[in-house]
Amino acid sequence: MKGTSSIDPASLQMLKVARDGGLETAWDRYLAQQPQCGFGELGLCCRNCNMGPCRIDPFGDGPQKGVCGATGDIIVARNLLRMIAAGAAAHSDHGRDIIETLRGVAAGEIKDYTIKDENKLKALAREFGISTEGETVQAIAEKLAEAALEEFGTRKGYLQAIDRVPSKRKEIWEKLGIMPRGIDREVVEAMHRTHFGVDNDPANLILHGLRCSLSDGWGGSLLATEFSDVLFGTPRPVRGRSNLGVLSKEAVNILVHGHEPILSEMLVAAAKDPGLISAARAKGASGINLAGMCCTGNEILMRHGVPVAGNFLQQELAVITGALEAVVVDVQCIMPALGQLAACYHTKFISTSPKAKFPGAIHIPFNEHNALETAREIIRQAIENYPNRDKNRVFIPEETTAYVAGFSVEAILSALGGTLTPLIEAVKNKKIRGIAALVGCNNPKVTQDYNHVNMAKALIARDVLVVETGCAAIASAKAGLLLPEAAELAGAGLAEVCRALGLPPVLHMGSCVDISRILTVAAALARELGVDIADLPVAGAAPEWMSEKAVSIGAYVVASGIFTVLGTVPPVLGSNVVADLLTRQAKDLVGGYFAVETDPFKAAELIIAHIDAKRAALGI
Ligand code: CUV
Ligand code: SF4
């Protein structure tokens, strides 16, 4: 859908408010960037050394080599590897912060968090070969945290969670030499290889890109998920509300945006503090209303049913409601535009991470050691700010939609009665045709939520069970697809399964790091069936992706053997060699491969055709 900004009525109303008020959003800035740089779009510019910058003429009239002699193929491959490295680094550094927190809790240095899921702690400890017999929870947690931190620089050969993978998959990775070793090591090696004068073979670069991404999917992201569950609780199905209408006209509104649940969990706790609630009332507010955005929103909606105000492209729109006392952020996917925009209102833009400072933000450093007190201070500042709200400038769209989220692997298993067998049976007898994972961001190149929602609907209508994370899942929440009632939009087979189990046809499995949950289910299904992950009737898609994290995700999903459709074009089309590697040769190498399809209906057809082919090969 070209030329329209969003299919979300709340976004459309807010965009009108923005226009009327002369306020600029990402959509305006996107237009102002037109036409975007053609070299950049194709991946053909290089700034990796100061003989450059260099660019390759895609039409063949101008230079075909950089100053060093690098061809377009080399430049495109190097640029892609750097994108993967940045994405893997972001997820993995997030994972490290969670593990460090667990380590501090276990050592008694961090007092404001507790271990919420001891069963998961013990299960992980066993996975790492740590004995749990007769040990205290504290002692187990300390050893487990140490072992997990080792994963970032481990020299034991490969990452622990690789043992979750079917042996066929391991053999493929070993044969190709892409078994992920240490988590940090693969990112460092990616930066080394793309330094001037190192790796100049496109295929060799891309193979390392796959290895680096695997250290994210089966490493950093997976640890982020598992250790968040240990610390904050493993998600269970929970109901909540979504979209900008969750903001309140009467209450102190605090929006928490970013990624790491270390911050958002503590804000959830502090927002319940009776003292703070009465302080809010003393200022004339009805109470404190905490709402989430993007992935940190997903973390707290999964665990607490906290309302989610929207996905990536709604961060500015939330400010434009004029009803936010504070936007509190940590890391990732936070637009630097927020500072200037917040200054047009009474809204305080509060940054909290030493890693992420923003123009126009008030910085309140948050760390695990002073977590609750800092969370209280942040909320206090928001409360103080409430009288500054200009009621005449408040416009909150009515839109809210209920959702059910919280489908961790454990929750799915318990919905299935403890084993994967009912799911496998439903797939075998074609009530469920296959499974598609829809993940990733919004991007102003795509009408907001148009690809997400239409792809999800097209897939469930054809009996494909859809599992989601990230901003894709929030799009489905807003569209009402995360409700058991949405089974009526599903094909007869899927609808029957959903009704029997009380499940929505689209399962919200969490934040972007929680794509590791999807990998874990896929690996378990493959092991159960005695096949490789690549043999499953399963596919992935990132219909509106924008971030480098999404590039790393796409790479590890493909490297894990899963066909993946991208809904926005990655900057690789400047090289036929690289494009061919990703969309064709990858199939022979790792089983998974990419397709690019910007039309969500055609993308759904690609997935259905892939699933049907896999079913046929399995003889089901
Ligand atoms: Ni981490 S990576 S915009 S919040 S999904 Fe949302 Fe998800 Fe993309 Fe960012
Ligand atoms: Fe140019 Fe080569 Fe330097 Fe890149 S590495 S900027 S292509 S000289």
Side-chain angles (χ1 to χ4, degrees):
M1 234 168 56
K2 284 252 180 297
T4 325
S5 28
S6 180
I7 61 163
D8 179 341
S11 290
L12 290 171
Q13 288 168 58
M14 292 320 301
L15 282 167
K16 181 170 179 329
V17 175
R19 267 194 308 279
D20 294 349
L23 297 165
E24 153 202 298
T25 66
W27 283 276
D28 303 307
R29 294 186 296 272
Y30 174 67
L31 281 181
Q33 282 291 338
Q34 299 310 311
Q36 285 176 305
C37 172
F39 298 100
E41 270 179 347
L42 297 171
L44 283 173
C45 49
C46 180
R47 289 179 298 116
N48 288 14
C49 91
N50 205 29
M51 294 192 285
C54 302
R55 52 192 200 181
I56 304 301
D57 181 0
F59 303 110
D61 305 330
Q64 296 301 299
K65 287 186 185 121
V67 176
C68 65
T71 59
D73 296 328
I74 294 170
I75 292 174
V76 167
R78 278 199 304 224
N79 288 343
L80 184 69
L81 178 51
R82 284 208 166 182
M83 289 184 91
I84 292 172
H91 281 149
S92 300
D93 211 34
H94 162 174
R96 182 189 343 251
D97 282 351
I98 310 277
I99 304 167
E100 297 260 18
T101 305
L102 179 73
R103 199 201 54 76
V105 170
E109 294 157 12
I110 294 173
K111 311 251 186 269
D112 296 344
Y113 303 90
T114 52
I115 292 165
K116 293 261 170 59
D117 192 338
E118 291 182 10
N119 288 334
K120 187 143 195 175
L121 173 80
K122 288 180 184 157
L124 284 167
R126 284 192 292 272
E127 195 175 343
F128 274 87
I130 295 163
S131 119
T132 56
E133 282 303 307
E135 298 280 354
T136 65
V137 167
Q138 252 53 39
I140 299 169
E142 229 176 323
K143 284 189 199 143
L144 176 62
E146 287 301 337
L149 288 170
E150 276 294 307
E151 293 282 280
F152 289 81
T154 186
R155 291 177 299 156
K156 71 184 181 206
Y158 61 83
L159 301 175
Q160 188 60 48
I162 300 297
D163 282 342
R164 294 186 186 184
V165 170
S167 53
K168 286 184 190 169
R169 183 78 348 217
K170 278 201 238 173
E171 283 158 23
I172 291 171
W173 292 342
E174 246 149 26
K175 204 173 104 234
L176 287 172
I178 60 169
M179 191 62 107
R181 300 158 297 175
I183 296 168
D184 288 345
R185 176 175 184 172
E186 305 308 355
V187 175
V188 168
E189 188 171 316
M191 298 312 285
H192 178 193
R193 285 191 191 216
T194 53
H195 182 276
F196 180 83
V198 186
D199 200 354
N200 287 280
D201 180 81
N204 208 40
L205 284 157
I206 300 298
L207 280 174
H208 181 67
L210 297 183
R211 171 158 58 183
C212 183
S213 72
L214 288 171
S215 80
D216 169 0
W218 296 95
S221 278
L222 185 139
L223 294 172
T225 295
E226 300 291 39
F227 281 74
S228 292
D229 285 356
V230 169
L231 269 176
F232 310 125
T234 302
R236 299 272 160 214
V238 58
R239 281 186 94 91
R241 292 179 310 129
S242 63
N243 217 342
L244 292 165
V246 306
L247 300 175
S248 164
K249 279 203 181 73
E250 296 88 27
V252 172
N253 289 309
I254 300 167
L255 186 74
V256 52
H257 173 29
H259 278 77
E260 297 180 3
I262 305 168
L263 168 70
S264 51
E265 279 285 326
M266 214 30 76
L267 286 168
V268 171
K272 290 182 190 147
D273 182 320
L276 289 172
I277 295 172
S278 30
R281 296 213 173 110
K283 293 283 178 193
S286 62
I288 301 166
N289 181 40
L290 188 72
M293 179 143 288
C294 282
C295 275
T296 212
N298 282 321
E299 297 278 358
I300 49 179
L301 79 80
M302 286 266 282
R303 293 198 177 85
H304 305 284
V306 169
V308 62
N311 48 5
F312 175 70
L313 277 174
Q314 285 171 301
Q315 55 187 286
E316 293 176 287
L317 307 182
V319 175
I320 296 172
T321 62
L324 290 187
E325 275 56 57
V327 186
V328 190
V329 302
D330 55 8
V331 291
Q332 301 172 19
C333 301
I334 301 145
M335 288 191 199
L338 286 181
Q340 217 188 351
L341 185 62
C344 301
Y345 291 90
H346 73 302
T347 306
K348 286 190 178 174
F349 177 32
I350 302 174
S351 59
T352 59
S353 166
K355 296 174 198 170
K357 297 197 172 182
F358 297 84
I362 308 163
H363 191 72
I364 304 184
F366 179 95
N367 68 56
E368 317 72 56
H369 297 272
N370 62 0
L372 189 55
E373 192 34 49
T374 316
R376 283 208 194 99
E377 174 56 25
I378 289 169
I379 292 179
R380 249 179 250 125
Q381 292 220 14
I383 294 169
E384 286 299 315
N385 197 22
Y386 180 77
N388 299 325
R389 190 194 287 186
D390 179 350
K391 300 233 157 58
N392 297 320
R393 288 182 72 202
V394 170
F395 178 85
I396 302 172
E398 298 279 304
E399 273 69 24
T400 65
T401 314
Y403 66 77
V404 178
F407 291 96
S408 57
V409 179
E410 294 79 354
I412 291 174
L413 278 171
S414 110
L416 294 172
T419 69
L420 287 171
T421 315
L423 178 61
I424 291 172
E425 285 308 314
V427 171
K428 279 189 179 158
N429 60 29
K430 217 183 169 185
K431 290 200 170 113
I432 294 177
R433 188 193 286 249
I435 304 173
L438 268 52
V439 307
C441 329
N442 290 139
N443 184 328
K445 291 178 177 173
V446 179
T447 299
Q448 186 200 12
D449 297 349
Y450 176 80
N451 283 6
H452 287 312
V453 171
N454 284 305
M455 241 181 118
K457 281 187 178 165
L459 288 166
I460 62 172
R462 307 274 290 280
D463 298 310
V464 176
L465 175 67
V466 173
V467 296
E468 298 195 332
T469 62
C471 290
I474 300 175
S476 282
K478 294 186 291 173
L481 300 177
L482 301 187
L483 294 167
E485 300 88 285
E488 68 193 38
L489 301 173
L494 177 59
E496 187 191 323
V497 176
C498 288
R499 288 192 185 113
L501 299 171
L503 293 175
V506 179
L507 300 179
H508 186 311
M509 292 185 72
S511 63
C512 295
V513 293
D514 294 336
I515 293 167
S516 62
R517 299 189 201 275
I518 302 176
L519 290 181
T520 298
V521 174
L525 279 172
R527 273 205 320 269
E528 193 87 5
L529 290 166
V531 299
D532 179 26
I533 297 173
D535 300 325
L536 298 172
V538 164
E544 305 182 19
W545 74 274
M546 64 87 196
S547 80
E548 291 169 314
K549 290 178 287 176
V551 181
S552 177
I553 292 166
Y556 73 63
V557 170
V558 162
S560 298
I562 300 172
F563 169 62
T564 297
V565 187
L566 302 176
T568 68
V569 185
V572 300
L573 297 188
S575 165
N576 289 334
V577 170
V578 173
D580 190 65
L581 262 167
L582 299 172
T583 58
R584 257 178 18 86
Q585 292 177 54
K587 192 175 186 175
D588 299 327
L589 293 170
V590 290
Y593 59 104
F594 285 102
V596 178
E597 178 51 69
T598 56
D599 178 301
F601 301 99
K602 290 186 189 154
E605 289 305 326
L606 289 178
I607 285 182
I608 289 165
H610 172 80
I611 284 174
D612 286 350
K614 291 294 171 189
R615 294 187 64 94
L618 284 172
I620 54 174

